[in-house]
Each structure stands twice: as C-alpha cells, then as structure tokens.
Amino acid sequence: MQDSIDMLQDDDIEKLIKMTGGNMKKCIGVLNQQLENSKKRHKRETQKIEAYRTLANLSSLHLSTEKAMELMVKSASRILRAHKCSLFTVETRSLPQVSPRAKRSGIKKLDLDLIPENDSKIDGENKYLLCHIADEDFEGSEVEWGKGLVGTVAQTSKTINIANAYEDERFCQDFDKKSGYRTRSILTVPIIAKKSVVGVIQAINKMGPADHFSDDDVVILETIANNAGAIIREKRALQSLKNEERRGKFLMQLMAISNEARESSLSLRRAASRVQHYITDMLQAASTTIYLVDHHSNTLLRLADDKVLSSENSIPAHVMQNQSKSLVEANATESEVEVIRKDAIERGIHSIICMLVGNQKKPLAVLEVVNKMEAPTLKSSTSFLLSPEKRRSSMMRKSSTVQDSLPHVAAFSKDDVDTLEITSKQIRNILHQYADAGTLGAYLNHNQITTSLIEMHKACATTRRTLHHQMSSIGLDLSRVTIRLDNKVNLDDPDFNVFEHTDEELLRFAIEIFSRVGVESAMRDTYKTFLLSVRQRYQDNPFHNWKHAFSVFYHTYLLYREVRDSGSRWSHSVVLYLLVSAICHDVGHPGNTNDYEINSQTERASRYNHQSVLENHHCFVCMQILRNPKTNVFKDHTGAKLLRMKNTIIKLILATDMKHHFSMQQRMRSIAQKKKNKGQSEPSDERQSVMEMVIHSADLANQGLKWGLANVWADRVCDEFQAQAEKEVKGGLPVAPFMKGLDTPMGRAKLQMSFIDAILVPWWDVVKDNIESSKLVEGMCENLANNRKKYSEVKSNEKQLSSL
C-alpha cells in the first residue's frame, strides 16, 4: 500500500479521493490495480530487453540452426508482443510428400540444406512453404506458393502488415475455422538469403493497447528476418566446405581401393563392400548395392554375397534390360512404370538412383543407391561388411509401411547423381583391375558367370575337377566361389551360417537338434508350437533377434556335446533345461541395455528393482510361454520336478547378464583348478555352474567364429549400440563410452579389439581349462586371435585413409 501511495503525487491522491467519494476501500483497490499494472509493464520491458540481448548474442552462442531459429521466433514474439509467431521455409515438390501422421506429430527438424540456392531456378508450381516453428496445431502444415499471406510474401519478397485479417482477401481462414482461433492483426516478412526468398516469418495478433503492428514493429521483424537470412547463408557456406571436404576424402578412398586392387591385396567382395559403404556414407543413403552383369544368362549377381538377382521384375533388372544409363526416382512407389512401382513397394524404396557401370550397351555392373536420408537425422549406422538386405533392414527397421518411413526420406539431388556418375567410372576401373589380375573379376571380360557353370555341373554331373578346368579356361578363380551341390545342412559345423537360412528353416533345425538330444516324435508338435511362440516374441533388432537366439542355442548344443565327451553325464531333463534356456535367453529383448532401462526409468526397471532387468524379463516371458498348455514342453513336470525345472532355467538365463561375467570366470577357474588337482569328475553341486558356463560361452561365441560371420555379428551389435546412443542423446541420458564413435569402421574395429582383449580371450582360456582337449574350443580361440588381427588391419587402414 505504501509503495502505491509513494508512486502518486499529492494532486493525484486528492483526485483519487474525490473520484471515490472518500471511500478508502475503493482507493486501496485502485492503487493495488495500478501497482499490478506497473509490475506487468516492468516484466514486459524486462522480457523485451532479454529478447534483444538474446538476438544480439545469437551469433556467439554456437547453437544449431534449428535452435537459433527457435530463439529468434521466441524473441520476436516477446519484442513485438505478438500472441503467435511462426517460421516457414521454402521447399520443393521433388521431395516425397510428408505423411499425415508426420504432420500431426510435427516436423521438428529444420532442413535448411533442402532450401533452393537460387529461387529462379525452380518453377513456382513446384514450390511450397512448410511451417517448422509454430504451435503444435499448425507445425508441419503446408502453404501453397503464392497463396495466402505467407505464400504471397514468399512470391513477391515484400512485407505485408494488415490490421484486420478478415478484411484482406489474401488471408486464408481455414485454420481459424478448424481451431476456433480468431486472427486479427498479422505482420508477415520474407527471409532473404543471396537475393532469394528462403523463408517467411509471421507474427499474429498484437497484444496490448494497440490492436495492430506498428511501423516500428515492421522494422524490428525485418531486422530479425535479415539475421535469419545471415544464419542460413553462413550455414550454407560451412556446409559447402564440409561437402567439398567429404567429396575429396570420398574420392581418395576410392583411389585407395583401386590401388589395392591393382596390387591384388584386396578381394573383390571386400573391395565392393568398402565401395558400397563409402557411397552410402557420401550420399547419406540407406544402402548401396553393386550387381555384376551376366550377359550369358542375362542375370545380375550381387557382389556383397554372390547371390543372383532372380527376379526379372526388379529395378536393377529393368535398368539393365532397357539399357538406361541411369534411373532417378524421387518417389519410386508412385512411379508410372509398373515394374519400378511394385519393386519399390515390396522393398520399401522411396528415392533411388540406379546406374549402369561401363558401356551402356554391354555394362559391367549395375549400381543401385536407395533412400536418401534426411541430413539432420542421418547417422551412419551401417557397415561395409553387412549385406545390402541387412543394411537396408538396419536403416528401415522402425518403419513397417511405406507411409511410415516417408518423413525420414528425401530425394536425391543433381549433385548426388553427378557424384555417382564419377563413382561409376571409378568402379569400372576397379573391376577392370580385378579382370586384369585374373581373379573373380576375370569373367567380366568373357561375359561369363559362375551360375552358368554351376547349372552345367548339375545337368551334366561333371566332376569338380572338370568344373575347375572349365572355370580356369575363362580365368575364373574357383577358390573364391562357393558351390552348394546339395541342400543338406551340416548341424555339426561350428561356423554354421544362420544368415544363409530363413527363420522358418532355423526353426526346423532347432526341432532337429531337440530330436538329437532325445525328444520323442510324439512331443515334436509341442516343441514346434513352443518354438513358434518363442520366435514370435523376438523383436526385429539388429543383434538381439531370432537369428541370435538360434545361434546361441546352436552353440549351446555344440558345447554341451563337448562337455559330455569330456566325461560329464547329464540327465535328459537337464539337457532340455539348458537348450530351452538358450533359445529363450533373450526372448522379448527391446534392443537396448540394462543401463538404458534403468536410466530411462522404464516400467521393467522398476518391476525388477534395477537388478538384471532384461534377463529377469526374459525369464518372465519364457515362463509365460511354458504356462500355456499348447506350448509347455514340460507338461509332465509336477511338484518338486516342476520347481527344479523353473529354478534351473531362471538361473541359466540370469547367468547371461554380463554383470556376472567376472565372478563366473573366477568361479570356473577355481573349478578347473580343483578338477586338475584332484582328478575327479564333476561334482553334482558344480553342475549348475558348468551349465551356466556353457550358455554364457554360447552367448559370447560370435567373435570366435570365422571372420566373415564374426564381422557381421560385430556390425549388428554396433548398429544396436549406435541406435541406443542416439536415443540417449535425444533423451538427455548418459551414453556409455564404448557406444560412442561407432559410425566408422575404425571405431567399430577398436571396440571389438578391446572386447576380445578384455573379455573374450581370458574367458575362453578358462573354458579351455574346463573342457579339456576340445577341438571346438581350440578353434574358437584360434579364430579370436585371427579376428583380432583382422580388426587391427581395419583400424590401421581406416586410420591411414583419414590422415590423407
């Protein structure tokens, strides 16, 4: 009250008393109202000063473009006292359409790289404006070029300031009608960079005594728009320098591969995989595939895995048959060509470049680059060692339909096409290097392919020696060709390749293994139903998926046989407990670690009190499956036997938690030493420990396989780690040090080397002490050493390339 009185002069007080008729209660009310208004004015002025300060310091804050634009819009809203403030950017129709679902959720990424450099180069009908920064109801909406106030300002490059929106015929009333909002005054200003309109900033509904925006407001918003244009220019300049640097490094990488090909120090498949990886990274695509052309049978051979592209109704086959130099589609799912449209829908392709390598009439290869990913959101999570199908799956795993993946995909630019044309010439040179060296590429000079000879072998029943003679006659290296003469699968092979088989085939193999350990034919249908239920609950993760489950199950079976042959005798039930635990050890895995579950405070983490969160979840899902009479493979278990089964399986699955690794390693070292000193057989109380060792070893077996398999598994787990790290960064969660830097082959190789040195070598030494004279375990140890050298070579090669 005293503050209110101090603000008034003596004359003011006398006037106030007269106005209120001497009513002190009314006087106090008026004074309090005046004080409140004064505080509001002071707060507004403070906010205005803070907004000016933010704008003045914007260039020194080192913010992302998106964050800088958000601060600009917020500052403009405060300074102008506008109720709403929005920012639009100029886009082109060459991009795939944004799905309705994306519009509802809002497009958060501000992709200024897609804004055209020169406004006059693009026909006006192809342009529109996309709202990036606004209220949730309006964000992600589109405005047609030249229509409405925003479209008109973008087209004319002139500011529009109107006091009453409904009196201006250019104002579009659709948003007000849908939302119930009432627009009054509007100030709309163009954002100009390099003499071209690249965006529009708009302020709506002036608040305060004035009901419209003043000339001073126009000057202020035009100044803010100029700053926005300057930021875009600066970003473009930096991006241009980065692009040139990346392009130079990319060409040096291709030259390095060409040199290695000339010196015959690099296999053709390895060279192709590296080229595919570099192209994918350079063009920021989902995948790249090189198909070699077989003019003899008019088919295509995929270099990554030597698989023949059997379908004639595919985009690469279409390009080859029509002898098109190149095919570029911004949205292949809407192509007028039926072959392209169907293949695009089936394979989840939206934007694509498909180009012939070599002579147009008789090409050496077809080069396919699929799905340009939006620059702000792309992280290179693929590896040059993954096959195209797996790489594509890695990039698209979160999208189950064409429409769902559209917001993540852009169109390839003319620069991308030009880059790929230069690259195709380099690929042609590399292929000729291998042709001249007389290795697998030699058939390119003679227009032959292994498939033709294999078919000839099957038809004529020629001997392998005769086949070797036929291949040698055209300079084809047989040692580099894998020929499968029958369909028999070897379920005793330590290097069994799960990636060569479908999920259904792996399920049949699992039933066969259960049969081998004594499951009767009467129970096979139950086991099949059980395995189907388990497989359905494995998610489509890069690593923790059904193929990983079968791999661990398979190696558990092989290691069990080694334990059995070393003198241990386990009951039939115990063996089944072990194998069921192995196939279920990661069932329901979400594709992240226990630390992520705990740090992100998931329901699972709370349910299991932060203790072996995922492993407890796997136990729960496993027991849930076994409770169903149709999938219960232990339906004859009751009472104590049922309880023993549950306890054994739960302990085995919990043993796969890496938290227990070192304590288990110490325990198994003690058991091995005890057996060595006393020469006794395995005590019953140590059987559970040995079973835990077996399943944990099978879970760690993938780096003990041959290089080709070990490397694929390594890339898959790195893909999963990288996806988690991106989620953690986005959610403000801590990222484990080993999950950083996995977007390069060198970073991935470094991680595997550390894992082999610190975890795998000491562990498999302990396993070797517990399972004596095991050729399987000795082979694992040899493969670990060989793979360690391979990763070291990858690291060294990439380090040399990065220093160029």
Side-chain angles (χ1 to χ4, degrees):
M1 180 63 187
Q2 187 62 43
D3 292 339
S4 300
I5 294 172
D6 290 343
M7 293 171 61
L8 301 173
Q9 301 295 326
D10 292 339
D11 293 343
D12 294 330
I13 294 174
E14 290 178 4
K15 290 178 182 178
L16 181 60
I17 292 172
K18 288 179 180 180
M19 285 173 57
T20 59
N23 189 325
M24 290 302 295
K25 194 172 184 179
K26 288 184 179 180
C27 284
I28 293 171
V30 172
L31 291 172
N32 284 334
Q33 184 63 44
Q34 189 175 21
L35 177 61
E36 190 65 28
N37 292 339
S38 176
K39 287 180 178 179
K40 287 180 180 179
R41 285 195 299 272
H42 182 266
K43 184 179 180 180
R44 285 197 296 268
E45 289 301 318
T46 302
Q47 289 178 342
K48 196 172 181 179
I49 293 170
E50 186 63 32
Y52 275 119
R53 187 180 290 116
T54 299
L55 289 174
N57 297 331
L58 205 57
S59 59
S60 62
L61 293 178
H62 305 292
L63 300 172
S64 66
T65 305
E66 182 183 359
K67 190 64 179 175
M69 292 297 183
E70 286 181 0
L71 283 177
M72 274 191 178
V73 170
K74 287 180 180 178
S75 299
S77 182
R78 288 178 178 176
I79 293 170
L80 301 178
R81 294 195 65 193
H83 186 254
K84 292 178 181 287
C85 207
S86 308
L87 185 140
F88 301 78
T89 58
V90 177
E91 309 289 345
T92 67
R93 289 293 180 196
S94 60
L95 296 177
Q97 299 298 301
V98 179
S99 69
R101 184 179 63 81
K103 290 181 185 178
R104 288 195 300 271
S105 60
I107 308 298
K108 296 297 182 184
K109 291 295 179 182
L110 185 60
D111 191 357
L112 295 172
D113 292 328
L114 301 177
I115 297 173
E117 279 286 346
N118 192 329
D119 195 51
S120 63
K121 289 183 181 178
I122 300 176
D123 182 16
E125 291 182 356
N126 293 328
K127 291 189 291 186
Y128 67 98
L129 292 109
L130 181 64
C131 185
H132 284 283
I133 302 172
D135 291 344
E136 291 183 4
D137 293 336
F138 199 58
E139 193 169 283
S141 61
E142 297 176 7
V143 176
E144 291 300 318
W145 186 261
K147 294 184 179 180
L149 292 170
V150 172
T152 302
V153 168
Q155 187 180 49
T156 62
S157 307
K158 294 180 179 179
T159 297
I160 294 178
N161 182 17
I162 54 177
N164 191 335
Y166 283 84
E167 292 180 357
D168 195 305
E169 61 182 11
R170 295 167 297 186
F171 173 65
C172 180
Q173 303 177 20
D174 292 347
F175 178 73
D176 281 14
K177 290 177 181 178
K178 290 179 182 178
S179 64
Y181 186 77
R182 180 70 179 181
T183 303
R184 299 187 307 275
S185 53
I186 301 180
L187 174 58
T188 312
V189 176
I191 299 174
I192 298 175
K194 291 186 178 180
K195 300 181 180 180
S196 298
V197 176
V198 296
V200 171
I201 188 168
Q202 185 179 68
I204 299 175
N205 286 354
K206 175 81 171 183
M207 297 186 295
D211 58 356
H212 64 278
F213 295 99
S214 65
D215 292 341
D216 289 339
D217 293 333
V218 172
V219 173
I220 291 170
L221 195 57
E222 286 179 344
T223 303
I224 292 172
N226 288 336
N227 288 337
I231 289 175
I232 292 174
R233 285 197 299 271
E234 183 181 352
K235 180 184 187 297
R236 281 188 177 154
L238 290 173
Q239 191 62 45
S240 179
L241 288 173
K242 288 180 181 178
N243 289 342
E244 289 303 317
E245 184 180 344
R246 288 179 68 245
R247 194 189 303 273
K249 182 179 178 181
F250 170 67
L251 294 175
M252 290 295 291
Q253 289 169 330
L254 294 181
M255 289 176 62
I257 294 174
S258 183
N259 291 335
E260 290 183 65
R262 186 182 299 111
E263 297 168 2
S264 301
S265 60
L266 191 67
S267 70
L268 175 60
R269 183 186 292 181
R270 177 77 171 174
S273 296
R274 281 173 57 177
V275 169
Q276 290 171 173
H277 166 73
Y278 293 143
I279 294 173
T280 300
D281 185 62
M282 178 64 201
L283 300 188
Q284 295 183 322
S287 71
T288 301
T289 310
I290 300 174
Y291 299 93
L292 296 181
V293 177
D294 170 24
H295 295 283
H296 180 70
S297 61
N298 201 32
T299 55
L300 295 171
L301 177 74
R302 193 165 62 196
L303 257 178
D305 51 14
D306 290 347
K307 287 187 177 180
V308 176
L309 187 65
S310 57
S311 175
E312 296 180 359
N313 299 321
S314 65
I315 295 174
H318 173 78
V319 171
M320 181 187 73
Q321 290 166 3
N322 289 274
Q323 297 182 346
S324 308
K325 182 60 180 176
S326 63
L327 178 144
V328 183
E329 288 278 356
N331 193 347
T333 58
E334 297 181 2
S335 173
E336 295 179 357
V337 181
E338 186 178 3
V339 171
I340 296 174
R341 185 174 64 255
K342 285 186 176 180
D343 190 32
I345 292 172
E346 183 178 344
R347 293 199 283 154
I349 296 172
H350 311 297
S351 53
I352 183 174
I353 306 176
C354 200
M355 187 175 291
L356 295 179
V357 176
N359 187 292
Q360 190 168 344
K361 292 185 177 180
K362 215 166 189 180
L364 297 174
V366 178
L367 179 61
E368 178 188 70
V369 186
V370 168
N371 289 347
K372 173 85 169 181
M373 311 305 290
E374 288 185 350
T377 59
L378 178 69
K379 294 287 183 181
S380 180
S381 61
T382 60
S383 165
F384 59 91
L385 293 169
L386 285 178
S387 72
E389 288 177 347
K390 298 176 182 65
R391 191 183 300 114
R392 188 181 298 114
S393 173
S394 171
M395 297 301 296
M396 294 299 184
R397 72 178 66 97
K398 292 182 182 178
S399 109
S400 57
T401 66
V402 170
Q403 194 175 40
D404 283 340
S405 61
L406 277 173
H408 305 287
V409 181
F412 288 102
S413 66
K414 186 178 182 301
D415 287 342
D416 294 331
V417 177
D418 293 340
T419 299
L420 209 58
E421 286 180 352
I422 297 172
T423 306
S424 70
K425 295 176 183 178
Q426 289 285 346
I427 294 173
R428 181 195 62 192
N429 295 336
I430 291 170
L431 291 175
H432 279 305
Q433 294 288 348
Y434 285 99
D436 295 341
T439 55
L440 187 58
Y443 78 90
L444 293 169
N445 287 343
H446 301 276
N447 301 321
Q448 298 290 333
I449 198 167
T450 57
T451 308
S452 307
L453 294 171
I454 294 171
E455 291 301 321
M456 185 193 307
H457 176 275
K458 291 178 179 178
C460 303
T462 55
T463 62
R464 186 175 176 85
R465 183 175 179 180
T466 306
L467 182 62
H468 187 284
H469 174 73
Q470 292 169 340
M471 289 184 169
S472 298
S473 67
I474 61 166
L476 186 60
D477 184 0
L478 182 63
S479 65
R480 297 183 182 273
V481 182
T482 300
I483 304 175
R484 296 180 67 175
L485 300 178
D486 54 49
N487 295 322
K488 188 176 181 180
V489 176
N490 182 7
L491 292 179
D492 301 311
D493 181 8
D495 291 294
F496 176 84
N497 189 346
V498 296
F499 301 111
E500 290 183 349
H501 303 282
T502 65
D503 288 355
E504 289 73 20
E505 288 174 333
L506 297 179
L507 189 144
R508 293 203 306 270
F509 300 154
I511 294 173
E512 172 62 25
I513 289 173
F514 274 118
S515 299
R516 287 186 178 189
V517 297
V519 171
E520 298 177 357
S521 57
M523 285 293 293
R524 287 190 183 182
D525 286 344
T526 305
Y527 271 88
K528 181 178 180 180
T529 309
F530 164 75
L531 289 168
L532 278 169
S533 184
V534 171
R535 190 191 75 180
Q536 289 170 357
R537 284 167 172 79
Y538 272 95
Q539 299 182 27
D540 188 22
N541 301 313
F543 183 85
H544 292 99
N545 52 35
W546 169 247
K547 280 183 166 54
H548 168 68
F550 180 86
S551 180
V552 173
F553 169 80
Y554 179 76
H555 287 96
T556 298
Y557 164 68
L558 295 184
L559 285 165
Y560 149 69
R561 294 195 315 182
E562 297 294 303
V563 172
R564 180 196 62 192
D565 294 344
S566 69
S568 295
R569 291 293 177 264
W570 294 349
S571 70
H572 173 63
S573 295
V574 166
V575 176
L576 293 181
Y577 301 161
L578 178 64
L579 292 178
V580 166
S581 301
I583 202 70
C584 292
H585 83 286
D586 275 331
V587 64
H589 201 292
N592 49 250
T593 63
N594 282 330
D595 285 342
Y596 179 84
E597 294 285 325
I598 294 168
N599 292 334
S600 58
Q601 301 179 30
T602 64
E603 184 182 346
R604 276 189 294 263
S606 300
R607 183 186 303 137
Y608 301 117
N609 299 314
H610 295 191
Q611 300 300 311
S612 299
V613 177
L614 292 178
E615 288 72 24
N616 272 300
H617 177 62
H618 306 325
C619 291
F620 169 76
V621 177
C622 176
M623 292 303 160
Q624 196 177 41
I625 295 171
L626 291 175
R627 277 199 297 269
N628 187 337
K630 294 181 180 179
T631 55
N632 184 5
V633 294
F634 301 115
K635 58 182 66 176
D636 61 330
H637 284 41
T638 58
K641 190 175 182 180
L642 176 64
L643 187 61
R644 185 162 59 251
M645 176 271 291
K646 289 183 176 180
N647 287 337
T648 302
I649 290 177
I650 289 171
K651 287 180 181 178
L652 287 172
I653 294 177
L654 290 178
T656 61
D657 186 354
M658 283 300 295
K659 184 178 70 173
H660 306 308
H661 173 82
F662 291 106
S663 60
M664 190 189 302
Q665 182 172 291
Q666 184 61 40
R667 186 167 69 252
M668 295 313 300
R669 185 177 284 117
S670 300
I671 291 174
Q673 189 63 39
K674 190 187 299 182
K675 286 172 63 177
K676 185 177 180 181
N677 294 338
K678 296 184 180 181
Q680 62 182 20
S681 60
E682 174 190 89
S684 58
D685 60 342
E686 293 176 352
R687 181 176 299 140
Q688 180 70 30
S689 294
V690 176
M691 292 170 68
E692 291 172 4
M693 177 196 74
V694 168
I695 192 171
H696 186 51
S697 299
D699 201 16
L700 297 177
N702 53 59
Q703 289 307 305
L705 306 178
K706 295 293 185 183
W707 169 248
L709 279 173
N711 221 308
V712 172
W713 282 120
D715 272 324
R716 281 176 167 266
V717 77
C718 286
D719 284 348
E720 203 165 284
F721 286 161
Q722 196 172 7
Q724 175 177 322
E726 289 173 4
K727 287 194 296 183
E728 287 170 332
V729 170
K730 188 176 180 180
L733 302 174
V735 181
F738 70 86
M739 289 190 186
K740 298 177 181 178
L742 299 181
D743 54 347
T744 64
M746 182 168 66
R748 296 183 171 206
K750 186 178 178 182
L751 174 64
Q752 293 305 319
M753 289 166 62
S754 300
F755 190 63
I756 289 171
D757 292 343
I759 302 294
L760 298 182
V761 170
W763 173 257
W764 282 101
D765 283 343
V766 170
V767 175
K768 189 161 59 174
D769 290 341
N770 277 275
I771 311 176
E772 296 178 357
S773 304
S774 169
K775 291 184 179 180
L776 173 66
V777 177
E778 289 174 0
M780 290 277 188
C781 294
E782 290 177 9
N783 288 337
L784 276 176
N786 293 333
N787 292 340
R788 189 3 176 121
K789 291 178 182 177
K790 291 284 187 180
Y791 287 123
S792 181
E793 291 172 7
V794 172
K795 181 183 174 184
S796 300
N797 292 338
E798 290 299 316
K799 194 171 183 180
Q800 291 173 7
L801 284 173
S802 63
S803 65
L804 294 175

